[in-house]
Amino acid sequence: MFKLITRLKTKQAPLRYLFLLGLMLLLNACGSSSPKKDNLSLVKPDVIAQRPQQRSQFTEHNSVDHSKVVYSGVFPKPMALEPAVDFWRKTYAIWPRSQVAVHDDRYLDIVYEVVTVPGNVGEGLTIEQKEFVSQRREYWKSQLAGLEAKLRYGAELNAHDRHVINKYESTGKPLSFINGASDRVRTQRGTRERFKRGLEISGRYDRQFRKIFREAGLPEDFAYLPHVESSFQVAAKSSAGAVGLWQFTKSAAKTFIPGHDSVDRRMDPIVSANGAARYLSHAYGKLGNWPTAVTSYNHGIGGMKRAQNQIGPDFTRIVEQYDGPAFGFASRNYYAQFLAAREIASNPQQYYSEGILYETPGDNSQLLAYK
């Protein structure tokens, strides 16, 4: 185009050249307002930089049956993920730490029972309490294996069997899903007290975290991600070697939290929040959508890229069908956990009618409460 401009400056331009120049300039102007997703580290899409307005109801889009979406701000919530999101809402805000749900680890709307652990229940369970939970899990594995055999051979069903079948039918699942159900039994302990404490602590950091993500051109609501990672516990450590409120491993910190090696900057909530912003921006640029980028915080960018290459870009299909190495329960549910945590933290009065005492930045003696 610049050669054409020079030519027009040095010679008398025919009308067809002037027309061509005008057309090219118009096309160039239109294209410059649409930054590429794979260059997110340099230019951020305007839609990401805006903080979404709160909505009283979600908007449904029914263009494709499998891809029905309920939009939750800039984070889409596929209808197929709602059972998982609801399960984590109950885990975070309904079930106390004294209760344990026995459930199917693939179909989270199948909860066989919610049991109360006997005795005084603290942050951790005693040996006896762990044994109680183990016994309930083994009981359901045995019951489901027996039911599967009865259905296979047409044996008579008892009242307990019919109760289990009703659970499947009430969620619209075919009885064939009972095949292998005994291998999918899992237990999940409630974390209501822990999540509430995380909400209180989050008052120290929420304003700073939102500023960091806003200035990085990212959704401000990533300030809720530590509810999933650490419950806002600064000294949190994982079995994989991740530490701090944002749970960075050493290898990830070298890339996204540059600094002096003698100081573990992962333990600094503000420094590591900036690292999380760098990571999420980079992940979005590589993966192209927020559900997959958020999940990569647990499973890694390379792992989610392999999932996309094998299954395609549809995140729901990845969750339902991808069977790659280490893509287990935690990875499949990570985005649903984030959505649940975000919904609770943005509307806590709906779940904690007793109120939350938020800690204020720099002065924990001054507490801000809602009623």
Side-chain angles (χ1 to χ4, degrees), residues 212-213 216 218 248 272-282:
I212 287 169
F213 290 114
L218 302 175
F248 272 91
S272 55
N274 278 285
R278 295 187 193 99
Y279 175 87
L280 289 164
S281 178
H282 179 68

Side-chain angles (χ1 to χ4, degrees), residues 75-97:
F75 299 105
K77 183 170 67 172
M79 293 293 286
L81 289 188
E82 175 54 32
V85 175
D86 185 60
F87 178 88
W88 292 109
R89 278 195 296 257
K90 292 174 180 175
T91 299
Y92 290 150
I94 305 300
W95 298 327
R97 63 190 181 188

Side-chain angles (χ1 to χ4, degrees), residues 168-187:
Y168 280 80
E169 291 179 339
S170 66
T171 59
K173 294 177 176 59
L175 290 184
S176 61
F177 279 27
I178 293 177
N179 295 334
S182 60
D183 296 324
R184 301 194 305 266
V185 176
R186 182 182 178 275
T187 56

